[in-house]
């Protein structure tokens, strides 16, 4: 799913009815989508689900390595052998079993670390409209719905009712996602 895919759905919605792209510019759609995406990303980054989770290996030179450009928060850190590293207080030195983050750097006595993290929201821009979004396709209806609301009535960060409704819909859409299991009962147990 790309922003351009969403824009086609938004333009076809009955409330907008802008198939010819004359009522709303791409820039207006980008602004509306960014308003909604900001709320969705913030909601997901503070939840326990793994939808926005990224992973990268970081080489450490003299016990320091640079965090990814989109780093927001740590989920977990592993040594090269898969051992989980523990966070260390900023006032203590790190060893092979610990790490600490100061500024844009991660510190540990390992040669490399595997960082699992939550990225921060990077706004959609005109030149990234054809870039695939990190969010799964099942978010398309939620993004369309609230982008339309933003276009016709406006969503701003102070509109707590709409912001809370977006957050509630995100939680409803994603709750228990990692823990879903399908149990198949043998025919003799039915």
């Amino acid at each position: 799913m790309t922003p351009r895919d969403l824009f086609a759905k938004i333009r076809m919605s009955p409330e907008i009815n802008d198939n010819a792209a004359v009522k709303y510019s791409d820039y207006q759609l980008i602004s509306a989508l960014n308003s909604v995406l900001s709320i969705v990303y913030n909601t997901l980054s503070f939840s326990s689900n793994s939808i926005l989770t990224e992973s990268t290996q970081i080489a450490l030179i003299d016990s320091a390595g640079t965090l990814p450009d989109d780093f927001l928060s740590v989920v977990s850190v592993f040594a090269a052998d898969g051992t989980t590293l523990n966070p260390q207080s900023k006032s203590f030195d790190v060893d092979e079993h610990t790490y600490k983050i100061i500024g844009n750097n991660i510190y540990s006595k390992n040669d490399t670390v595997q960082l699992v993290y939550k990225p921060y929201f990077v706004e959609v821009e005109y030149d990234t409209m054809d870039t695939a979004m990190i969010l799964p396709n099942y978010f398309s209806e939620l993004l369309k719905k609230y982008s339309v609301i933003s276009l016709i009535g406006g969503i701003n960060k102070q509109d707590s009712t709409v912001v809370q409704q977006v957050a509630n819909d995100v939680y409803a859409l994603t709750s228990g996602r990692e823990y879903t299991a399908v149990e198949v009962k043998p025919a003799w147990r039915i």
Side-chain angles (χ1 to χ4, degrees):
M1 165 178 66
T2 67
R4 191 175 306 278
D5 297 333
L6 281 170
F7 293 169
K9 289 180 178 190
I10 292 167
R11 289 186 190 284
M12 289 189 306
S13 70
E15 301 88 351
I16 299 295
N17 194 19
D18 188 25
N19 294 339
V22 294
K23 291 182 185 175
Y24 297 97
S25 71
D26 284 345
Y27 291 106
Q28 288 172 304
L29 269 64
I30 289 170
S31 178
L33 180 60
N34 280 336
S35 294
V36 176
L37 284 172
S38 176
I39 299 166
V40 170
Y41 270 65
N42 285 335
T43 302
L44 289 173
S45 65
F46 291 110
S47 70
S48 62
N49 72 59
S50 62
I51 290 174
L52 294 181
T53 304
E54 298 283 325
S55 180
T56 188
Q57 188 169 355
I58 299 174
L60 304 178
I61 299 169
D62 294 328
S63 301
T66 305
L67 293 169
D69 290 339
D70 63 347
F71 173 80
L72 176 65
S73 62
V74 171
V75 174
S76 53
V77 179
F78 302 97
D81 65 359
T83 305
T84 302
L85 300 181
N86 296 311
Q88 181 63 280
S89 168
K90 290 180 175 113
S91 40
F92 293 102
D93 290 333
V94 292
D95 58 26
E96 305 81 32
H97 308 288
T98 60
Y99 74 92
K100 66 181 168 182
I101 293 176
I102 301 174
N104 291 330
N105 294 312
I106 186 167
Y107 298 88
S108 181
K109 289 293 183 183
N110 294 282
D111 292 332
T112 61
V113 294
Q114 187 72 26
L115 174 67
V116 181
Y117 69 99
K118 298 258 184 165
Y120 66 81
F121 170 60
V122 178
E123 288 191 343
V124 172
E125 296 178 354
Y126 191 77
D127 61 343
T128 61
M129 287 177 26
D130 294 312
T131 304
M133 298 172 68
I134 295 173
L135 293 172
N137 289 341
Y138 60 83
F139 271 85
S140 66
E141 283 304 309
L142 182 142
L143 296 173
K144 177 187 119 183
K145 172 184 173 182
Y146 288 106
S147 293
V148 167
I149 290 171
S150 178
L151 285 168
I152 61 176
I155 292 178
N156 59 52
K157 300 219 184 325
Q158 288 74 36
D159 189 351
S160 62
T161 304
V162 176
V163 171
Q164 186 58 51
Q165 187 58 48
V166 173
N168 291 344
D169 285 353
V170 168
Y171 286 130
L173 191 61
T174 61
S175 66
R177 181 177 174 270
E178 293 86 8
Y179 306 108
T180 304
V182 176
E183 180 182 348
V184 178
K185 293 183 180 180
W188 57 269
R189 286 183 61 196
I190 297 179

